[in-house]
Amino acid sequence: MKKKVLIITTGGTIAMKNDKENGVIPTGDLVDFLISFPQICENTEIEIEEFSNIPSPYMTPSLMLDLAKMVDIKIIDYDGVVITHGTDTLEESSYMLDLLLTTRKPVIFTAAMRSGSDLGLDGPRNIVGAVRVARHNESIDRGVLVVMNDEIHAARDVVKTDTGKLESFISMNYGVLGIVDPDKVVYHRNALQRERVWTDQIDENVDLIKAVAGMDNRYLEYSIEKKAKAIVIEAFGRGNLPATLLPSIKKAVDSGILVVIVSRAYTGRVTVEYGYEGGGRSLQKIGAIFAGDLKGPKARIKLMALFGKYKDTNLVKKFFLSSVV
Ligand code: ASP
């Protein structure tokens, strides 16, 4: 029997064309364009529904929540769902859905680095790959996946690494889960680390601040003034900061804000290793917590989901720490 896959479109370059006067802009005719590629429908009954037609810099956490709710309801009638999305915030949307979705069926994000009118466009190939992964039995219960450039990534791990290359999406810490070859879809490994936060509410009041050499505490103070629920700090290396930030971090913690340390380095975990003022140990001593290998934007998304579910900072801290790798 033919498998049934629903393609949900949200916008992004995959749904854009290059207009000489206005640059690369959204079009309304992606759907016609898509079904003109017969490979998409091979052994599969395809249906297409639009969620939105926006560039992904317009995507918001609350839209991601709406998208998750739509997928959980729609997928009941399908074997899998493919979501087309802009590449710019795909790593955040796919991770939000990875946390929120209750379905075990395959949910696959895909996108394009090149618009519909660019030479060597990658959109149709990526959609064909995503549909093949969505209808594959081995894709069940693997969490939300991202298929780009013939590769399968876990939503938790994948990041956009390049502004223009086709091979922009990389799982830098642990590598791909599998590949999409012309003859078959091949899985090489399981993603062992998977967290879920089943909630129908999120709290968007979570900030992300990146450490730079010689920075002062102005952004931290602003977040404290705005009563953020949590502040994620992309610290240096193993999780170290200038000593000058300690008073503001202590002030944030003392006023009930969860301060979460991630690294601005591309790979690896944060640890409480360094003992100097501003080093990981001193941050932990004043109440900051460490996010293991989670990248800054993903830690922020996870905290939004946890605050939506548990509200209370101590509970959020407990659940966040219980799944740190
Ligand atoms: N700016 C575009 C977007 O994310 C980029 C893309 O889709 O590749 O919507």
Side-chain angles (χ1 to χ4, degrees):
M1 209 171 76
K2 271 193 172 181
K3 294 261 181 113
K4 268 180 87 178
V5 171
L6 176 67
I7 299 178
I8 299 177
T9 62
T10 70
T13 294
I14 197 162
M16 294 188 194
K17 281 196 174 153
N18 199 343
D19 169 318
K20 273 216 174 89
E21 237 170 70
N22 302 306
V24 181
I25 47 168
T27 65
D29 55 10
L30 170 76
V31 171
D32 296 338
F33 181 58
L34 276 184
I35 51 179
S36 67
F37 287 83
Q39 298 93 325
I40 288 174
C41 302
E42 251 169 40
N43 305 321
T44 322
E45 210 178 295
I46 296 286
E47 282 173 33
I48 303 176
E49 260 191 60
E50 180 178 297
F51 170 80
S52 60
N53 191 8
I54 54 170
S56 76
Y58 294 4
M59 189 52 76
T60 63
S62 86
L63 283 172
M64 295 172 200
L65 176 65
D66 291 345
L67 180 60
K69 288 178 181 171
M70 177 179 176
V71 171
D72 254 338
I73 292 170
K74 294 274 175 191
I75 206 165
I76 295 168
D77 298 320
Y78 296 86
D79 295 295
V81 163
V82 168
I83 299 168
T84 61
H85 197 282
T87 58
D88 289 347
T89 57
L90 187 148
E91 62 195 63
E92 283 153 278
S93 293
S94 59
Y95 184 54
M96 179 72 98
L97 267 70
D98 191 40
L99 295 172
L100 300 183
L101 290 180
T102 59
T103 182
R104 294 171 59 232
K105 291 181 184 175
V107 175
I108 321 295
F109 274 71
T110 195
M113 295 298 292
R114 294 177 181 158
S115 80
S117 48
D118 278 338
L119 272 181
L121 76 173
D122 54 334
R125 188 180 179 98
N126 285 341
I127 292 176
V128 171
V131 168
R132 288 180 57 203
V133 173
R135 69 171 180 239
H136 198 279
N137 284 339
E138 282 182 40
S139 304
I140 295 168
D141 222 2
R142 286 189 186 266
V144 172
L145 302 172
V146 174
V147 170
M148 292 288 289
N149 202 33
D150 301 337
E151 292 178 333
I152 310 168
H153 300 266
R156 183 186 186 278
D157 298 335
V158 76
V159 286
K160 180 175 178 176
T161 63
D162 193 278
T163 56
K165 286 183 190 160
L166 295 188
E167 59 273 30
S168 174
F169 281 80
I170 298 184
S171 297
M172 287 194 298
N173 264 320
Y174 312 112
V176 299
L177 297 183
I179 53 166
V180 184
D181 256 0
D183 60 335
K184 61 179 175 175
V185 169
V186 183
Y187 280 101
H188 292 291
R189 69 175 183 92
N190 288 324
L192 296 180
Q193 305 304 337
R194 177 142 188 248
E195 310 99 40
R196 305 180 105 170
V197 186
W198 286 343
T199 176
D200 60 1
Q201 284 174 43
I202 56 165
D203 189 328
E204 298 192 43
N205 194 10
V206 178
D207 290 342
L208 172 61
I209 297 173
K210 187 177 190 124
V212 286
M215 77 189 291
D216 62 22
N217 58 11
R218 76 184 89 164
Y219 301 119
L220 274 171
E221 287 296 325
Y222 186 73
S223 290
I224 296 168
E225 195 188 308
K226 289 288 169 194
K227 299 190 174 15
K229 289 281 169 50
I231 306 171
V232 180
I233 306 178
E234 269 186 20
F236 304 112
R238 279 295 200 188
N240 309 309
L241 288 169
T244 46
L245 297 189
L246 288 183
S248 294
I249 292 175
K250 186 162 178 346
K251 185 171 158 190
V253 172
D254 291 347
S255 63
I257 298 171
L258 194 58
V259 176
V260 179
I261 306 296
V262 299
S263 181
R264 70 171 211 177
Y266 297 118
T267 56
R269 298 172 56 245
V270 282
T271 58
V272 283
E273 203 170 319
Y274 288 89
Y276 58 82
E277 279 287 287
R281 278 184 198 209
S282 71
L283 302 177
Q284 191 185 46
K285 230 179 252 165
I286 57 172
I289 63 169
F290 283 65
D293 64 351
L294 213 52
K295 301 319 298 169
K298 307 220 191 215
R300 174 176 168 267
I301 291 288
K302 187 170 176 182
L303 288 161
M304 286 179 178
L306 285 171
F307 271 104
K309 178 161 181 157
Y310 298 110
K311 320 282 185 250
D312 174 77
T313 304
N314 282 324
L315 266 182
V316 170
K317 181 173 168 181
K318 211 174 175 168
F319 278 95
F320 189 88
L321 286 175
S322 72
S323 61
V324 163
V325 177

